[in-house]
Amino acid sequence: MSGLINFLTSLKLTLTVLLVIAVACIAGTVLPQGADVLKYLEANPGAQSQMDLLGFLGLTNIFYCWWFIFLLCFLSLSLSICTFRRFRGALRRKSGLRWKDLGSLFSHISLLLILAGCVARSIWGLNGYLPLREGETKTKFQVETGFAELPFEIHLEDFEIEFYGSDEDEHVQDSLSEKVVVLNHDGQVVAEMSSELDAGQAVGPVQLKVLKRIPDFVVDTATGGVVSRSEEMHNPALQLEIVEGGTTNTQWLFALYPGFNMHNKEGADRPHLDFRYEVYVHSGSEPGVKDYKSTLVVKEDGVEVKKKTIEVNRPLSYKGYTFYQSGFNPDDHKWTSLQVVKDPGVPLVYAGFLMMIIGLAMVFYVDPNLSVDSHGGGKNSIE
Amino acid sequence: MITAFNISFALCLVALIVAFVGLLNKREIVGRIGFGVNILAVAALTVYIVMRWMAAGRAPFSNMFESLVLFAWTILVVYIFVYKKLKLPIVTAALSLMVVLTLAYATTFGADIRPLVPALQSNWLTVHVFTCFLGYGGFAVSFIAAISYVIASRENSKAAYETKDSLEVVMAKTVAFGFLFLTVGIMTGAVWANSAWGTYWSWDPKETWSLVTWLVYAGFLHCRFIKGWRGQKSAWMSILGFISVLFTYFGVNFLLKGLHSYL
C-alpha cells in the first residue's frame, strides 16, 4: 500500500502528469474545439473522418472530456497526499517548522481550493442568458437545457449606450489616425506621407509639402478665405503644395470627398500624381461604443429590494445570482442582453488565489532558499 | 510625447553600443557606463509611459505597441536589480539587444492612443497586464542567463566556473520572481474576467498558454528545489519556459484567436 502511495506521490509521476496536462492544453488551442468544429468542417468538408476520430478521442472538447478531468482529479489526489506527507515531515523535523514550509503548504492547498471551486461551479453553478426590454420584468433566464427560475424578479428600468465622440474626451481626438496617400494615375499607391503641418516628402521628381490642415473646412463667404467652422473633424481638409519641374501648385484634399480635390487655379495642369487624404476614426474592433448600461431593479413579491446600474465590469449580485452586462441589440437600443451566473465556487477560487500568492511570497521571499550549491550538486530542497 | 520615446530608444541604442564595446574591452568602467546609460533609458521610458498614461487618461497597457514598451521597461528594471550579481558583458549585451529589438518591433505598430472597448475599461487591466509583464521581464532575464550558462559551460576555466555560479543564482531568482508575478497576473486576469464576463477561466488560447507557461516554470522550480536539478538541465528548462512565454505573448496573437486579440 505504501509502495502505491509512494508511486502516486512521486515527483516523477506528478511532473509527468503536469507534462501531459500541458501537452493537452496546447492541443486544445491548436485543434478546433466545440462549436469551432462545425466551422472547420464548413471550410474543410473533406475532414469529416479526421474530426470524427478526434471527437472519439475527446480531442475536440479536450477541456471537458473525461480523461482531462481524470488527469486533474489525479493531480489533486497526488497533490493532497504529497502536501500532507511533506507537512507532516516538516512538523517532525528537529529544527522545527519554517516559514517556507507554511508557504509551500499554502501554495499547494491553494491549488486544491481552486480545483474545488471549479468542481462546485460545475455541479451547482448555472450560466445563462437573459434578454430584457426596457420596462420588462422576468423571473426566468435561458440556460443550455431550457429555462432556470430566479428566486426573485428582475426588471429593466433603463438602458443606454454611450458612444465615443459624444463628449469632450481628449483621447477621442487622439484616436484619429490620418495620412496622405500618393497614387499614380492607374490608382496604385506609390507612397504615403504624414498629414502633419509642414510635413514634406519627395516622391520621385515631385516634392510635396503640407501647407494647411483644417478640421472642419468651410469657405467664409464674406472674405472668400478658408476657415475652420469648429475644432471637430467634421470636414477634414488639407492643402498640399506640389512642386514638379520648377512649377508649384497647391491642391486641397478632402477626407470625406476624395474625388473633389480643389486646385489653386482654374485649368491648372493635372499633376502626374493623385492624392488622397485619409482620416480614420476609431478603427478598433468595436468602433464607437464607449459604454452600455442597464439600470436593473430586483423585486421580491413586487417590492423593490435592490437597484443598480450595471455595465461591463460592474455587475449586480443578489442572492447568489450575478447579472453581467453582456451585449445589446444594435438595431433596437431598448433591448439589453444580460448574462446570468450562479457560481457558488467563486469564494473558494478567490481564497485559493490569495493563499497561492501569500504562499509563493513566503517560499521565495520571507524565508528564501535560493542560494546555490552547484559545486556539490546536492539538493537544495524546500522540503 | 513621441520625443520621450525617441530619447528612450536612443539611450537603449547607446547602451547596446556600450555593451558591445564591453565585450571587447572588459574594463569595469565600460560596464559601469553601460549600466548608467541603462538607468537613464529606464528613466526616459518611465517618463514616456507616465506621459502616455496622462494623455490617455488610462494605463497605457492595452495594445501591442504599449505592451512592447512595457515589456522593454520590465526587462530593464529586472536587469538593473540583478546587475550586482551579474556583471557579465555577454549578459548585458544580450539584454540590451533584446530591449532594442523589442522597442524596434514596437515601432512597427501604431502608436496612436485609441479609446478602449468597454471590457477593457477596468482597473484590473492595469494590475493584470503590469504583473504579467513583470513576470515576463523576470523570465526574459532568466532566459539570457540560461543561454549564457549554456555558452559558459563549453569552457572549463576557473573564470567560467565562477560565471556559471552567478548565472545559476540569477537564473533561479529571476524565475522565482517571474513565477510569482505571472501567478498574480493570471489570477488578477481571472478576477477581472469574472467581473466582466462571469467566468474566471474560459480556456481562451492566451489563458491556456499562460497556464502552459506556468506549468513549465512550476516544473522548473520543483525540479530545482526538490530534485536538485542544477546546471544545464535547469538552463534548458528556463529556455523552454521562455519559448512558451514568447508563444503566449506573440504566437497566440498572430496564430490563434480569442479574447486577448487586442493584445
Side-chain angles (χ1 to χ4, degrees):
Chain A
M1 184 67 185
S2 66
L4 179 69
I5 290 178
N6 283 341
F7 172 71
L8 286 177
T9 57
S10 71
L11 187 66
K12 197 176 270 185
L13 184 67
T14 309
L15 287 175
T16 308
V17 172
L18 282 180
L19 182 68
V20 175
I21 290 174
V23 171
C25 286
I26 294 170
T29 63
V30 177
L31 299 171
Q33 298 290 299
D36 287 341
V37 173
L38 286 176
K39 287 182 200 162
Y40 183 80
L41 283 173
E42 275 174 25
N44 306 279
Q48 183 68 53
S49 54
Q50 288 101 310
M51 284 298 119
D52 287 345
L53 179 64
L54 290 178
F56 177 73
L57 296 172
L59 291 169
T60 52
N61 204 16
I62 287 176
F63 303 118
Y64 306 94
C65 82
W66 68 268
W67 57 261
F68 189 77
I69 292 167
F70 172 78
L71 283 175
L72 293 178
C73 293
F74 182 85
L75 185 68
S76 309
L77 179 71
S78 171
L79 263 177
S80 307
I81 303 173
C82 202
T83 305
F84 170 74
R85 292 179 77 189
R86 286 175 55 196
F87 193 65
R88 193 181 57 180
L91 282 175
R92 287 176 181 169
R93 201 171 41 222
K94 280 183 186 167
S95 55
L97 201 64
R98 288 172 294 182
W99 279 108
K100 65 184 167 222
D101 297 319
L102 278 177
S104 172
L105 180 75
F106 274 29
S107 50
H108 288 90
I109 285 184
S110 71
L111 280 175
L112 297 174
L113 277 176
I114 294 167
L115 288 169
C118 297
V119 171
R121 181 188 174 103
S122 63
I123 296 173
W124 296 292
L126 282 172
N127 192 346
Y129 161 76
L130 177 63
L132 268 178
R133 191 176 168 79
E134 272 181 3
E136 200 174 18
T137 304
K138 281 190 178 169
T139 55
K140 285 179 185 171
F141 64 100
Q142 210 173 329
V143 290
E144 209 175 340
T145 50
F147 286 93
E149 195 85 32
L150 288 166
F152 48 82
E153 299 151 43
I154 189 88
H155 171 80
L156 177 67
E157 190 173 277
D158 185 39
F159 178 66
E160 59 175 304
I161 304 177
E162 286 176 19
F163 292 92
Y164 279 108
S166 58
D167 56 23
E168 296 301 317
D169 278 339
E170 201 176 316
H171 56 275
V172 171
Q173 293 295 325
D174 287 335
S175 71
L176 295 167
S177 70
E178 50 184 277
K179 61 187 174 187
V180 177
V181 178
V182 184
L183 309 103
N184 62 22
H185 286 177
D186 296 327
Q188 292 167 325
V189 176
V190 293
E192 288 181 358
M193 66 178 277
S194 163
S195 61
E196 280 182 28
L197 210 57
D198 295 329
Q201 187 164 321
V203 181
V206 184
Q207 186 66 41
L208 305 170
K209 185 181 175 187
V210 177
L211 295 180
K212 285 180 185 165
R213 183 182 162 279
I214 308 286
D216 191 1
F217 181 98
V218 68
V219 176
D220 187 338
T221 48
T223 62
V226 169
V227 291
S228 188
R229 190 165 33 194
S230 71
E231 288 304 309
E232 302 296 321
M233 297 289 276
H234 288 152
N235 185 18
L238 181 140
Q239 192 182 35
L240 199 63
E241 181 187 76
I242 306 139
V243 182
E244 186 179 9
T247 311
T248 301
N249 280 313
T250 60
Q251 189 175 337
W252 279 101
L253 310 175
F254 297 90
L256 299 181
Y257 312 102
F260 181 73
N261 293 336
M262 269 169 48
H263 293 270
N264 58 330
K265 56 189 180 198
E266 286 278 324
D269 288 339
R270 189 184 180 194
H272 288 103
L273 297 167
D274 286 330
F275 309 97
R276 208 164 55 211
Y277 176 32
E278 294 184 351
V279 177
Y280 298 99
V281 187
H282 312 145
S283 56
S285 56
E286 288 180 46
V289 177
K290 183 180 177 185
D291 204 357
Y292 37 108
K293 302 175 182 176
S294 301
T295 303
L296 297 176
V297 179
V298 179
K299 294 179 181 176
E300 289 201 78
D301 301 323
V303 180
E304 178 180 322
V305 288
K306 190 167 186 176
K307 182 176 178 179
K308 186 178 178 185
T309 299
I310 66 162
E311 53 196 298
V312 184
N313 287 310
R314 284 182 189 81
L316 174 149
S317 293
Y318 187 70
K319 284 195 171 174
Y321 291 84
T322 310
F323 296 84
Y324 296 87
Q325 181 67 69
S326 69
F328 59 90
N329 183 343
D331 300 324
D332 186 350
H333 291 179
K334 297 284 180 195
W335 281 96
T336 189
S337 166
L338 307 175
Q339 190 171 354
V340 189
V341 175
K342 184 187 173 196
D343 186 354
V346 165
L348 284 174
V349 172
Y350 283 9
F353 287 175
L354 203 61
M355 270 186 93
M356 168 81 80
I357 292 165
I358 293 171
L360 288 178
M362 280 162 76
V363 170
F364 295 141
Y365 296 108
V366 177
D367 188 10
N369 188 22
L370 294 164
S371 59
V372 173
D373 178 20
S374 61
H375 304 289
K379 292 186 181 183
N380 195 3
S381 162
I382 53 173
E383 278 180 308
Chain B
M1 187 164 58
I2 201 71
T3 314
F5 177 78
N6 289 339
I7 290 171
S8 319
F9 200 175
L11 284 166
C12 291
L13 277 170
V14 173
L16 178 64
I17 293 165
V18 175
F20 274 96
V21 171
L23 284 176
L24 304 171
N25 182 341
K26 305 221 159 127
R27 279 189 302 171
E28 200 180 339
I29 185 72
V30 181
R32 281 190 187 176
I33 291 171
F35 183 65
V37 178
N38 272 320
I39 286 188
L40 289 175
V42 169
L45 265 181
T46 309
V47 169
Y48 174 66
I49 290 171
V50 170
M51 283 171 75
R52 196 174 169 92
W53 194 321
M54 288 164 73
R58 57 167 172 81
F61 308 148
S62 65
N63 58 34
M64 274 307 275
F65 173 81
E66 292 173 344
S67 71
L68 283 163
V69 171
L70 180 65
F71 188 34
W73 185 86
T74 55
I75 295 171
L76 281 171
V77 166
V78 176
Y79 164 68
I80 284 168
F81 274 96
V82 299
Y83 177 73
K84 274 194 175 176
K85 290 221 174 273
L86 203 63
K87 290 178 182 171
L88 299 172
I90 187 159
V91 173
T92 307
L95 279 167
S96 285
L97 184 63
M98 189 185 257
V99 169
V100 166
L101 288 177
T102 304
L103 288 177
Y105 187 42
T107 60
T108 65
F109 295 91
D112 308 339
I113 296 175
R114 292 176 187 277
L116 296 182
V117 295
L120 295 187
Q121 295 164 23
S122 167
N123 289 331
W124 287 110
L125 169 89
T126 313
V127 187
H128 167 60
V129 179
F130 188 71
T131 47
C132 280
F133 276 86
L134 270 180
Y136 289 1
F139 295 142
V141 175
S142 178
F143 167 74
I144 296 294
I147 294 269
S148 308
Y149 188 96
V150 172
I151 294 169
S153 296
R154 292 180 181 173
E155 293 178 34
N156 279 324
S157 64
K158 191 177 171 229
Y161 208 61
E162 285 166 4
T163 300
K164 278 161 61 183
D165 270 1
S166 310
L167 289 168
E168 184 96 54
V169 174
V170 169
M171 213 158 58
K173 285 202 173 202
T174 46
V175 164
F177 173 87
F179 188 73
L180 175 61
F181 279 97
L182 177 66
T183 306
V184 177
I186 291 174
M187 287 171 180
T188 50
V191 174
W192 178 19
N194 197 43
S195 74
W197 296 294
T199 176
Y200 43 81
W201 194 263
S202 50
W203 296 108
D204 160 75
K206 181 92 72 181
E207 283 175 357
T208 310
W209 269 95
S210 69
L211 176 66
V212 171
T213 302
W214 192 86
L215 290 174
V216 172
Y217 283 112
F220 172 99
L221 291 166
H222 281 83
C223 285
R224 184 182 167 83
F225 294 115
I226 295 181
K227 293 281 277 182
W229 277 24
R230 292 288 183 276
Q232 293 228 36
K233 281 203 269 188
S234 238
W236 281 110
M237 267 199 103
S238 171
I239 291 167
L240 178 69
F242 195 65
I243 290 170
S244 181
V245 167
L246 290 180
F247 195 84
T248 307
Y249 186 15
F250 301 110
V252 171
N253 290 12
F254 302 126
L255 302 175
L256 309 168
K257 64 183 170 113
L259 295 170
H260 285 79
S261 49
Y262 41 80
L263 185 64

